[in-house]
Amino acid sequence: MSEHTHRHNKEGPCHFSLMSLSAVKRLLFVAVPLLALWGLVVWAGGWLG
């Protein structure tokens, strides 16, 4: 993926937090449309009462 070698900056924060954030964003980009679709199916099916 990355072309440079992995090195941590001892004076600054590790970049792993940024990688985690992008992973969370990717998860949300997948989960939100699926939840919206599921909500539409439940609403269309009249399963909420």
Side-chain angles (χ1 to χ4, degrees), residues 8-42:
H8 290 276
N9 185 1
K10 293 180 180 178
E11 296 179 358
C14 179
H15 66 274
F16 180 73
S17 60
L18 295 176
M19 292 172 65
S20 300
L21 185 62
S22 65
V24 169
K25 285 182 179 179
R26 282 195 303 264
L27 184 63
L28 286 175
F29 281 136
V30 172
V32 168
L34 287 177
L35 286 174
L37 182 63
W38 179 80
L40 275 173
V41 169
V42 169

